[in-house]
Amino acid sequence: MKPLLIAVLLAASTASAAEIALRPIISGLNEPTNIVNAGDSRLFVTQQSGRIVIYDGTRVLPEPFLDVSSLISTNGEERGLLGLAFSPHYRDDGTFYIDYTNTAGDTVVARYRVSADDPNRADPTSAQVILTVAQPYSNHNGGELQFGPDGYLYIGMGDGGSGGDPQNRAQTLSALLGKILRIDVENATTYRIPPSNPFANRTSAAPEIWAWGVRNPWRFSFDRVTGDLWIGDVGQDTYEEVDFQPAGSSGGENYGWRRMEGFHCYNPSTNCNDGTLTLPVLEYSHADGSCSITGGYRYRGALFPRLYGTYFYGDFCTGKIWAATASGSGFTSRLLLDTTMQITTFGEDANGELYVDDYATGTIYVITDSEPGPGRHRAARH
């Protein structure tokens, strides 16, 4: 598949920094990994060690929403409780899904229900494992869960770990590793394969696959206005990338890993793209100490309209936060803020406002506009 957009290299400068400010709302968490809303005023924060806590707008509630610490392994910095997604029909069915590595180190996606008599507590006895994927190494476990505009559950799977994808799993369609999966979990004991999945009828491919050729898709999200899919994919040694899938895609994009890292050949070192790969829309190098992209969200809130429609993303090692904006038929990116944080996740509340974490200190921040003015609260739609 040919690139859907003309890729534009990252062009950020410190002169454009400090366009945003961060206001802390939560502190003292234990290694946060995900910030999620359930369609109401609350924020749910996953912690790598296995607890999900609720921020009710003023404080973190004293009791966790769910504690699965006894089920998971964290011996490896990329293991643990990694993802959380609430059903699109959560108000009616009370179901949600988590992604974690179990005591064997394998990926588990499980369904839970909220308690019948307490909206701030899940029912731990409701657990139902819907998918387990063996992990050959401790790193590159993916972990992102998102419900798409189509109501299907999308699951991010890393390439299985080690370095350089030694078994070439991301380019192997019979393997679930190195992929983004798409499954139907509504009214299903475990899950069904959506008939429109690109490999649903190919006997040599896993029917769950929606897109392939990713190394470790560490946070992806759907634009709540357009339905476009934005993917932050962690690179190997030199480049980090942002991949893009437009709304209306029929799936099946091959984002290139391990044949390519960003716009560059990786394995093989030359003649790696035969024209079937979907190239990133953005990349950035490790030259400044960056090492691991954390994908974010396209801003659709109302509090700072001049950034409406920009895609926020960051880096775990440098703490830099960038914004990507449409430019012609591609995207350009600029630095918004240079921090010392270890960014493992961005979050979006029910109103489209954005949040970001510092994994090292256990702090959650709301992103605000650094430029005061009466016009910033008037949401522009473009």
Side-chain angles (χ1 to χ4, degrees), residues 16-21 303-304 306 368-377:
S16 64
E19 290 189 45
I20 59 172
L303 295 184
F304 41 110
R306 65 189 177 84
T368 65
D369 196 327
S370 65
E371 295 185 5
R376 71 175 185 164
H377 295 292

Side-chain angles (χ1 to χ4, degrees), residues 196-340:
S196 55
N197 272 12
F199 305 108
N201 299 312
R202 186 184 297 189
T203 56
S204 60
E208 294 91 345
I209 295 172
W210 176 249
W212 52 311
V214 291
R215 182 175 179 271
N216 193 32
W218 187 253
R219 303 304 171 211
F220 59 80
S221 65
F222 290 93
D223 184 331
R224 62 166 57 197
V225 172
T226 67
D228 298 329
L229 177 61
W230 294 79
I231 306 162
D233 194 22
V234 178
Q236 179 65 43
D237 298 317
T238 311
Y239 298 100
E240 305 297 303
E241 69 184 68
V242 176
D243 297 316
F244 178 85
Q245 185 187 77
S249 168
S250 57
E253 286 90 344
N254 182 349
Y255 290 110
W257 175 252
R258 68 178 186 180
R259 290 159 66 179
M260 299 186 73
E261 180 188 17
F263 296 109
H264 313 270
C265 288
Y266 182 81
N267 186 1
S269 59
T270 60
N271 300 319
C272 56
N273 187 1
D274 59 4
T276 65
L277 305 182
T278 298
L279 299 183
V281 292
L282 292 166
E283 73 168 21
Y284 66 91
S285 79
H286 292 185
D288 65 349
S290 296
C291 75
S292 181
I293 190 171
T294 297
Y297 290 82
R298 199 169 192 184
Y299 178 66
R300 296 300 186 181
L303 295 184
F304 41 110
R306 65 189 177 84
L307 291 176
Y308 185 86
T310 59
Y311 173 70
F312 283 67
Y313 63 102
D315 187 81
F316 176 79
C317 292
T318 63
K320 291 180 177 178
I321 299 174
W322 293 279
T325 55
S327 176
S329 56
F331 290 89
T332 57
S333 191
R334 69 187 187 278
L335 183 64
L336 290 177
L337 192 64
D338 192 352
T339 80
T340 59

Side-chain angles (χ1 to χ4, degrees), residues 97 109-111 128-132 147 153 155 183-193 208:
Y97 297 79
V109 178
R111 177 192 294 121
Q128 185 176 23
V129 172
I130 65 168
L131 177 68
T132 301
F147 278 94
L153 181 63
I155 304 166
I183 59 175
D184 181 359
V185 294
E186 188 172 355
N187 300 318
T189 303
T190 53
Y191 65 88
R192 292 185 290 262
I193 302 299
E208 294 91 345

Side-chain angles (χ1 to χ4, degrees), residues 26-32 47 60 358 361-364:
I26 305 172
S27 61
L29 297 180
N30 180 24
E31 299 176 337
Q47 298 175 97
V60 174
D358 182 0
T361 65
T363 305
I364 307 296

